[in-house]
Each structure stands twice: as C-alpha cells, then as structure tokens.
Amino acid sequence: MALSDWFSIENDPLAWAHPSPKLIMTPFEAHWHEIVASTIFYFFIQALSPAVCTRMVGKAYTGLDRKTKINFDIHMVSMVQCVVSVVLLVLGSNNAGFRNRLVDPEGSILGYSPYLGFVAAITIGYFVWDLFVCIRYFKLFGFSFLFHGAAALYVFVCSLRPYCLPWAPAFLLFELSTPFVNVNWFATRLPAGTISDTVVMINGLLLLATFFFVRIIWGFYAAGLVAYDMYRVFDKAPIFLPLSILALNVSLDSLNVVWFLKMFRIAKKKLQQNSKTPIPALKTAKFD
C-alpha cells in the first residue's frame, strides 16, 4: 500500500491484515480483526507500563502502593489512547458524511467509509480494554466509570452497523482534554517537585478550559446536531438505535458536567488558599 493510501479517507490502513478478505460482507466483518488487534495493543501497553514508568521516574513509581500503581498504569494506557484518537480524528473529521450532513442526512447517519470503520474499530478495542479494567477494579473506579466505559463501547459498536459512523471523529474530540487530565493525575501522585508547580498550574487551567469547551459545550451541541440528523432519517433504522444512543449521549454529557463541577470546586478552593502556597494539582479520577 502506498504512503498516500495510508492517509486516505477511502482506505482502511489495516485492511491488508484481515485473515479472510474474500468473506467480508458487513462493516463489522471487515473490521473485527482491528478490534482484536486494538484490544491486545492496549493490554500490551498496560503490561509494558511498569517497566516504562520505573525507567522514567524510578522510585517515584516503585514506591507507590499496589492500587496506585494499577491506576498509574491505566493512566499511561489512557495517555497513549488519547494520542492515537487525536491522530485518527484529524483525517476522519473531513469525511463526506459529516461534511455534507446538511444536504445528505442519510449519509451523516448511515454512511460508511473504510477509514471511519478503522477508526471505530480501534476505538472499540480501547473501550473493550477499558470495560474490562472498570469491572476488574470496580472498587477502585466505581459505577460512574463502569457506566462510561460500557456506554461508549455500545455507541461505537453501533457505529459499525453502520449507524452514526461519520460522527465518530466528532465525538473523539473529547480526547483533547484527556492529556491534561492524565498529567494532572500524575502530578498528584508523584513526589512534590517531580512536576513543577508552574507546569501543574498551567496544566490545571488547560484541563478546565478544554474539559469545559470540548466535553460540555461541544458535547451537548453535538448531541443536538446528531439528534436532528437522526430525526431526519428516523424511518431508516430500528427505533432503539436513535433512542438508546441519544439517551447514553446525554447521560455521558451530564456525567462530564458532574466531573467538571467537582474539578472546578477543587480549583476554586485552591485559589482561595494563601497565594504564597504552591497550587497543587486538581484531584481528578480516571477520565477517558
């Protein structure tokens, strides 16, 4: 495959790896191997994290208790995933289904392209890993993260029906806030001074700003847009698809509001402290 083909909206970069290309019939059948590969990849990153973290920060990592180490490794996977997502959405955001949604609502909701199928498959693989982690370490993360992982997995699996597949890059924009979430989390667990107070403060401000504009403002606005597109082709798909996806979408957006308010209250409390006291990082959880 030529280099230009790897970066084409019309091509699946990993189509060549499909074990039975002649049997491909549906989008899910065309991309199932990428789901498997993506899931294995993220479990591999989690397994590799202890060695990488030990090499990077030494005793600052090895001295952590077991639960914090597990959480540390999970945040390392999240950091890799958000970088992968941002890279994938750059090209995917220019897809015809989304670009022409005003004149072609059917393409917006029911459209398919090999590259978007690839993006969805890679994302599904991550959320398979994420759901496993949330179930295995339920006491560590709680119901809200389990719900987030299960809901996101459901929506992206539906996209390979295909349903709302051209919207996948638009909702991956949420990941623009994730690097700041992870840096902030690392700062609260590493010894004081490992990450400078200035970097922590700037990162905290960027976290609040990106989280608010990307996950809340854009999140609710995009939910409204996709609801309108669904309405215009309401008779083209089973009713459970638009109803379930919109319900989960609004629920996830509302969960982001809850998380944002918690972060904002913590930031406000820190700012009210003595100005001479270094401002520590916001205490965030495992946001995805």
Side-chain angles (χ1 to χ4, degrees):
M1 179 179 289
L3 183 62
S4 59
D5 292 334
W6 280 77
F7 298 95
S8 170
I9 191 64
E10 299 302 325
N11 291 285
D12 175 357
L14 294 182
W16 59 270
H18 197 289
S20 305
K22 294 182 180 180
L23 300 179
I24 294 174
M25 296 177 63
T26 67
F28 188 86
E29 291 170 341
H31 298 283
W32 69 264
H33 67 297
E34 294 161 350
I35 295 175
V36 173
S38 175
T39 303
I40 293 173
F41 171 75
Y42 287 114
F43 274 107
F44 173 75
I45 296 299
Q46 184 183 9
L48 188 64
S49 176
V52 174
C53 293
T54 300
R55 182 69 178 269
M56 290 175 61
V57 294
K59 292 183 179 179
Y61 172 81
T62 57
L64 298 172
D65 61 75
R66 178 178 174 274
K67 287 184 177 180
T68 306
K69 281 183 180 178
I70 291 171
N71 214 336
F72 208 101
D73 297 336
I74 288 170
H75 277 272
M76 288 291 287
V77 178
S78 174
M79 185 66 85
V80 171
Q81 185 268 341
C82 68
V83 173
V84 170
S85 295
V86 171
V87 171
L88 292 180
L89 73 83
V90 170
L91 177 60
S93 61
N94 193 40
N95 72 84
F98 185 77
R99 188 175 62 248
N100 301 325
R101 53 173 294 273
L102 293 178
V103 296
D104 182 21
E106 187 168 329
S108 166
I109 299 300
L110 305 178
Y112 168 81
S113 78
Y115 180 79
L116 292 179
F118 163 73
V119 172
I122 297 302
T123 307
I124 289 170
Y126 169 75
F127 281 115
V128 169
W129 168 86
D130 183 66
L131 184 62
F132 173 84
V133 165
C134 288
I135 293 173
R136 183 177 181 183
Y137 303 111
F138 180 79
K139 291 183 179 180
L140 187 61
F141 298 118
F143 176 77
S144 62
F145 291 104
L146 177 61
F147 172 75
H148 178 278
L153 177 60
Y154 172 81
V155 171
F156 275 94
V157 167
C158 287
S159 74
L160 281 184
R161 185 181 174 92
Y163 193 80
C164 293
L165 182 60
W167 279 89
F171 287 102
L172 283 178
L173 279 173
F174 284 11
E175 298 304 328
L176 291 176
S177 67
T178 304
F180 305 112
V181 171
N182 289 328
V183 169
N184 186 81
W185 190 92
F186 292 138
T188 64
R189 271 68 179 183
L190 293 172
T194 303
I195 301 177
S196 72
D197 293 335
T198 300
V199 171
V200 169
M201 181 177 66
I202 294 173
N203 182 80
L205 293 174
L206 291 173
L207 165 57
L208 290 173
T210 56
F211 201 96
F212 178 73
F213 286 107
V214 175
R215 292 192 178 234
I216 297 177
I217 298 300
W218 168 246
F220 280 104
Y221 179 66
L225 293 179
V226 75
Y228 177 61
D229 287 355
M230 288 177 175
Y231 169 75
R232 292 193 290 168
V233 294
F234 197 72
D235 60 337
K236 301 292 185 179
I239 191 171
F240 78 88
L241 281 174
L243 294 182
S244 60
I245 289 175
L246 285 176
L248 290 174
N249 200 320
V250 172
S251 297
L252 292 175
D253 288 340
S254 300
L255 186 59
N256 282 330
V257 172
V258 172
W259 285 337
F260 176 79
L261 290 176
K262 288 182 178 180
M263 290 188 292
F264 182 79
R265 284 194 292 267
I266 293 172
K268 183 179 179 181
K269 182 178 179 180
K270 299 304 180 183
L271 290 173
Q272 290 173 343
Q273 292 178 348
N274 191 308
S275 60
K276 295 182 180 180
T277 303
I279 301 177
L282 304 176
K283 289 191 176 295
T284 56
K286 189 193 72 64
F287 298 117
D288 294 313

